[in-house]
Amino acid sequence: GENVEQHPSTLSVQEGDSAVIKCTYSDSASNYFPWYKQELGKRPQLIIDIRSNVGEKKDQRIAVTLNKTAKHFSLHITETQPEDSAVYFCAAHPGSSNTGKLIFGQGTTLQVKP
Amino acid sequence: DSGVTQTPKHLITATGQRVTLRCSPRSGDLSVYWYQQSLDQGLQFLIQYYNGEERAKGNILERFSAQQFPDLHSELNLSSLELGDSALYFCASSKTGTEETQYFGPGTRLLVL
């Protein structure tokens, strides 16, 4: 069935360092891969997304890369700041469905130490 | 503020009871999604509606049901509640109901005692 594996489950970095979170998906037809950030007690919010016809996308300090052959995608945060501390979720959209259904990874708790 | 509203914010009830969670999508969005987030768990997709019709179903229990009304608001009904149903329930909305940004509401925290 459809599955998204996310690693690591927790990540602690020093302010200014880079952070990388990786996800692997099972459905080779998946075509849309969003990343959501959820601060403590808040709602998930989209921070970046990528579609299957693109290999990389960047937005200021955040970038996402996609390797369709290996069926994995990664979130890269550079020059981390304490306000980047949150839980990050990757997700994949099953490409074969005419729906908006998203399969989420289990989440990565990122802690940025000042 | 995403523009998606959910009520109530908190709900405390007993096992065996039934509750209804309500969601209003962003203006202009036709699709509504329901997700369950248990403690230390990710977001589990429950169900999607598009313009009043069920579009996709996930791991939704038979004790749970949902509907989307003509004004596009949605309700999630949870019945015969069990302790394990305690979770944060999020509603999200999007325009076309396909692969696009989903905007999440603030969630309803359900505690079953």
Side-chain angles (χ1 to χ4, degrees):
Chain A
E2 302 148 345
N3 189 44
V4 175
E5 296 284 338
Q6 183 172 346
H7 299 281
S9 56
T10 60
L11 181 58
S12 182
V13 299
Q14 286 296 134
E15 183 178 358
D17 287 350
S18 294
V20 181
I21 303 170
K22 299 182 180 181
C23 289
T24 304
Y25 58 97
S26 60
D27 182 358
S28 57
S30 294
N31 60 358
Y32 173 65
F33 307 90
W35 285 88
Y36 283 82
K37 174 183 180 183
Q38 186 178 25
E39 296 176 1
L40 192 62
K42 301 270 183 76
R43 71 192 79 195
Q45 288 188 286
L46 181 79
I47 54 171
I48 196 166
D49 57 11
I50 191 168
R51 297 186 183 273
S52 58
N53 58 348
V54 175
E56 184 174 358
K57 185 176 177 181
K58 201 170 180 181
D59 183 4
Q60 299 183 332
R61 297 185 296 109
I62 294 173
V64 57
T65 58
L66 172 65
N67 183 327
K68 284 196 305 182
T69 305
K71 292 192 287 185
H72 69 69
F73 56 113
S74 300
L75 178 71
H76 305 254
I77 306 174
T78 58
E79 300 171 25
T80 53
Q81 301 167 4
E83 51 265 38
D84 294 329
S85 296
V87 180
Y88 291 80
F89 292 98
C90 64
H93 174 270
S96 56
S97 68
N98 182 30
T99 76
K101 175 181 178 179
L102 292 175
I103 308 300
F104 281 86
Q106 288 300 95
T108 296
T109 301
L110 173 64
Q111 181 189 29
V112 179
K113 298 178 188 173
Chain B
D1 185 359
S2 66
V4 179
T5 61
Q6 286 186 251
T7 56
K9 276 188 176 178
H10 303 277
L11 203 45
I12 302 175
T13 188
T15 54
Q17 294 299 303
R18 173 190 167 94
V19 296
T20 298
L21 312 184
R22 182 188 168 105
C23 167
S24 292
R26 290 188 328 153
S27 176
D29 285 358
L30 297 178
S31 197
V32 168
Y33 310 78
W34 287 97
Y35 292 90
Q36 180 191 58
Q37 186 174 42
S38 302
L39 196 62
D40 296 331
Q41 293 291 310
L43 291 152
Q44 299 293 319
F45 170 76
L46 295 178
I47 198 164
Q48 177 197 1
Y49 280 84
Y50 176 78
N51 205 20
E53 301 287 327
E54 182 184 305
R55 179 68 76 86
K57 224 168 184 177
N59 298 323
I60 187 166
L61 300 171
E62 283 192 16
R63 300 183 285 108
F64 295 2
S65 65
Q67 54 184 327
Q68 186 180 27
F69 295 87
D71 67 353
L72 300 177
H73 91 271
S74 178
E75 292 181 357
L76 178 67
N77 300 296
L78 315 176
S79 62
S80 302
L81 285 167
E82 302 175 0
L83 296 178
D85 297 328
S86 296
L88 196 51
Y89 291 85
F90 284 106
C91 166
S93 75
S94 72
K95 271 196 168 28
T96 68
T98 58
E99 57 271 26
E100 59 186 350
T101 303
Q102 292 182 21
Y103 295 88
F104 281 76
T108 292
R109 187 170 294 280
L110 173 66
L111 180 59
V112 182
L113 300 175

